[in-house]
Amino acid sequence: MQVKGQSSAADKMEVNQAKQEHLLALKVMRLTKPTLFTNMPVTCEDRDLPGDLFVRLMKDDPSTVKGAETLILGEMLTLPQNFGNIFLGETFSSYISVHNDSNQIVKDILVKADLQTSSQRLNLSASNSAVSELKPECCIDDVIHHEVKEIGTHILVCAVSYTTQMGEKLYFRKFFKFQVLKPLDVKTKFYNAESDLSSVTDEVFLEAQIQNITTSPMFMEKVSLEPSMMYNVTELNSVSSDNESESTFGKMSYLQPLDTRQYLYCLKPKPEFAEKAGVIKGVTVIGKLDIVWKTNLGERGRLQTSQLQRMAPGYGDVRLSLELIPDTVSLEEPFDITCKITNCSERTMDLELEMCNTRSVHWCGVSGRQLGKLSPNASLSIPLTLLSSVQGLQSISGLRLTDTFLKRTYEYDDIAQEECDVSDLLGSGLFLGAAAEGATPDVVPQLFDQFWILLLDLLGELLSTERNTDTQNISNRDLRVLVYVARRNIRLCLLYCLVLQCTILIILKGAVCRIDTEWLN
């Protein structure tokens, strides 16, 4: 029972303290920049009933611009009529005033301002020392500033403690709640690229989509990427012309409400990290975006994202990349590529290379050869030769690496894609042969003319090759094309004989050419 009585007495004391009139008055006002005053001009034609009455009234109005009275914006500024919106990244400023409304001298006045967020409580007071005394009709003023770094509910707690002339210590506080909104919607995407085939770790492209989700336009002062210690960054948001760099967004860098912009950055690992195959693995820190903007009348806001992370592509124990590959190749003509094999594991490997043909790509060389031992983080470059038997975009596949220590096989398919084109001579020959198959007597002279052109092209190639002493460019297939064309129709048998005579002539001249007998039979 005694505990109950003490509790009721304490409640009564709190009620009396709440109803007690204090000698000091606390006033809090948010400091924001004013806005331009806007008016609604009303005009009419001279022949209307009001005549020039509206024009004279607008000229006498002090808020209008002289000489431009019909302009909506005026020369005056308007103070904010309400608390307004506070956005993440902006600076919250507030004016705190404690006024002595009594006729007594108040001593030991201490004003304290704290900002309570969902995760922490911050002290915003400029000074934590008490004022010795405050005379009647005098005040204590303070201005606080805080860069808002959290969204959600914020509570400004202002507490005042003082001592009366009678030595009584009094204390009161006030709460001011406001919401912090999100000004921008930032989305990021990562793209892995293998443009630098000689490096162990590839370039990374970061696309940042920034949308203005406020109700007023923004001036985007800066959008940059601060990379981590492992990367160097290159901004791809400007175009160079006439030795000048121009932004891809134009000269006026304004972002209207609900508009979105896309910023692109290229990150490349630093040389000390790119040389080590096992350094950049798993989740890696890319960096963070730094966004600075300005709103009406130059109010500045800044937003920094958290550290952006991406999952580095997993290459397993062994990585195979291409160092050299031609842009286009000819049908049934061998071409060379250079592969780079990197040991990404922490153990030494003894590798064996096996080449498996596909329907459209055929490997040239010995399959199952030993590559030797490869130390951890070491690389090995090997040249390979292959040819394509199908026209069009073909995928290079069929490489197999076997670690003889662990008897583990690593398969590599779709290593790259190659464009296979038909050579001019082969294309002309195939077209001519198809036309000769269903030729009528009236088109035979035209086919003869086309065949002579084809034959002269071949002889030009052979003579040019003989002068350059490079007989590898003479394709056995090119001669077979002429034979194929002649054999498609009996009317071209004479040309078939001419092909044989030309071939004998070429052989007598010393050109290294061979014709399959199965094609001549």
Side-chain angles (χ1 to χ4, degrees), residues 32-281:
T32 57
K33 291 187 177 181
T35 58
L36 291 173
F37 178 79
T38 58
N39 53 24
M40 187 61 65
V42 180
T43 60
C44 65
E45 296 182 0
D46 295 338
R47 61 183 180 180
D48 292 338
L49 183 60
D52 60 347
L53 176 62
F54 293 148
V55 177
R56 286 187 283 107
L57 290 176
M58 286 189 296
K59 288 183 178 180
D60 296 337
D61 190 349
S63 64
T64 58
V65 180
K66 303 304 178 184
E69 289 78 10
T70 57
L71 188 65
I72 296 180
L73 295 178
E75 294 181 334
M76 292 188 175
L77 298 176
T78 304
L79 294 176
Q81 303 298 318
N82 50 31
F83 188 82
N85 295 324
I86 299 179
F87 294 100
L88 182 67
E90 294 183 346
T91 300
F92 170 71
S93 301
S94 182
Y95 169 72
I96 300 176
S97 177
V98 177
H99 187 267
N100 188 357
D101 293 341
S102 67
N103 53 5
Q104 303 178 20
I105 298 178
V106 181
K107 299 180 180 180
D108 300 331
I109 303 97
L110 179 61
V111 181
K112 186 178 180 181
D114 293 338
L115 185 63
Q116 178 69 49
T117 67
S118 58
S119 61
Q120 58 184 340
R121 188 184 182 99
L122 304 171
N123 183 18
L124 305 183
S125 299
S127 176
N128 292 324
S129 59
V131 179
S132 59
E133 65 176 19
L134 185 63
K135 296 180 180 181
E137 300 301 327
C138 293
C139 61
I140 300 174
D141 299 326
D142 190 13
V143 177
I144 59 175
H145 302 281
H146 174 68
E147 183 179 351
V148 182
K149 298 181 179 180
E150 296 182 32
I151 60 175
T153 304
H154 287 57
I155 301 176
L156 179 63
V157 183
C158 297
V160 180
S161 61
Y162 61 96
T163 304
T164 64
Q165 289 182 342
M166 304 300 295
E168 184 181 4
K169 293 184 178 180
L170 298 178
Y171 169 83
F172 70 94
R173 60 181 179 176
K174 290 186 178 181
F175 300 91
F176 304 91
K177 183 187 293 187
F178 59 90
Q179 294 287 334
V180 175
L181 306 177
K182 187 178 177 181
L184 299 172
D185 186 17
V186 182
K187 298 179 181 178
T188 57
K189 295 180 181 179
F190 289 104
Y191 302 93
N192 299 319
E194 294 191 1
S195 57
D196 188 5
L197 296 176
S198 62
S199 63
V200 177
T201 50
D202 303 320
E203 296 176 345
V204 180
F205 289 91
L206 170 63
E207 176 190 351
Q209 298 181 0
I210 300 178
Q211 182 183 22
N212 178 11
I213 58 177
T214 67
T215 58
S216 59
M218 289 182 178
F219 173 76
M220 306 304 294
E221 183 175 343
K222 183 182 74 170
V223 179
S224 62
L225 177 64
E226 298 179 1
S228 63
M229 58 178 295
M230 302 172 62
Y231 292 92
N232 292 322
V233 64
T234 303
E235 294 190 6
L236 304 178
N237 304 311
S238 59
V239 179
S240 299
S241 59
D242 299 334
N243 297 328
E244 294 183 359
S245 180
E246 183 178 353
S247 174
T248 55
F249 307 109
K251 297 181 179 180
M252 306 301 291
S253 185
Y254 287 101
L255 190 60
Q256 298 295 333
L258 300 181
D259 280 0
T260 303
R261 281 187 179 177
Q262 294 173 314
Y263 295 85
L264 186 62
Y265 303 91
C266 177
L267 295 105
K268 188 174 182 180
K270 294 181 179 179
E272 57 267 27
F273 296 102
E275 293 174 356
K276 301 178 181 180
V279 173
I280 303 181
K281 282 186 176 181

Side-chain angles (χ1 to χ4, degrees), residues 429 432-438 483-492:
L432 189 58
E437 183 178 5
V483 177
Y484 166 78
V485 172
R487 293 181 61 188
R488 296 301 294 178
N489 197 290
I490 192 62
R491 300 183 183 91
L492 301 181

